[in-house]
Amino acid sequence: MDDENTFRRVAAVTAVLAAPPAIGSLVVGLAALGNDFDAFSDPSLLLAATTSAGLLRWSVLLNMFGYYLLLTPAALYLWHWLKTQSPHLVKLYSLCGLGYLWLGVMGAAILASVWPSLVNAYSQAAAGQQETITVVFEGITAVVEGGLWSNPQDLLGGLWWLGIGSFLRRERSGLGLLTMVLGAAVLLNSLGDFLNLETLDTIGLSLALLLVPIWSIWLGLTLL
């Protein structure tokens, strides 16, 4: 019992601690881009708009901790907590969640390593070299955002939050409903990207970015 209580507290504290870096990643990211919202969705604009490679790196690192890494204990605890309702389905949804979180960690780690050096090189390069750097930057960004994130990651995340939320509603109705709404937003983001519908993609992504910090605080306080 003591071990379970310790596990619950760790999951609770890390969930609450995830919210500040998640929000901070958005604030720092905007500062790095000179408050250019359009640059978030266009790699070529992002490269040209970035005013500080250091801020951009910190934005991605904060994203890694706030939206992915610090939520891992919570995903594991939800698995442990809800498995009595349906061991196999909860296990399936939880594995989807862990896949979502760690694809996010890997993608953010790659961008945090590569983006700053390319931004610095771009700012110091001649016009002809900038075109080459832009191609490399867009290619790496497409690999991460389209290959690791986007469809594979968002599909796993959407299934996790929708599935776990359906079981969580039996224990905490409000939190469970928010979890399912978050899952729907992530799936909407994935569908928009798959169908190349920018409106759906933007709506789903915006909702997810807003709801994840709220969800993590609510979950953390519930576990505490």
Side-chain angles (χ1 to χ4, degrees), residues 57 101 193:
R57 178 175 180 272
L101 294 172
D193 185 76

Side-chain angles (χ1 to χ4, degrees), residues 128-205:
Q129 294 174 315
Q130 285 183 338
E131 293 180 6
T132 302
I133 294 170
T134 298
V135 171
V136 174
F137 186 90
E138 290 178 345
I140 293 173
T141 302
V143 168
V144 172
E145 294 188 348
L148 289 178
W149 293 352
S150 189
N151 283 322
Q153 187 208 21
D154 286 344
L155 180 60
L156 291 173
L159 290 174
W160 172 45
W161 270 308
L162 273 176
I164 285 296
S166 67
F167 292 110
L168 189 56
R169 283 189 67 186
R170 304 174 190 177
E171 303 287 341
R172 301 289 188 278
S173 59
L175 179 59
L177 181 60
L178 175 63
T179 306
M180 295 180 71
V181 171
L182 177 54
V186 174
L187 286 179
L188 186 64
N189 180 206
S190 178
L191 180 64
D193 185 76
F194 181 76
L195 298 177
N196 199 27
L197 297 174
E198 187 175 346
T199 301
L200 289 183
D201 191 355
T202 302
I203 292 173
L205 178 60

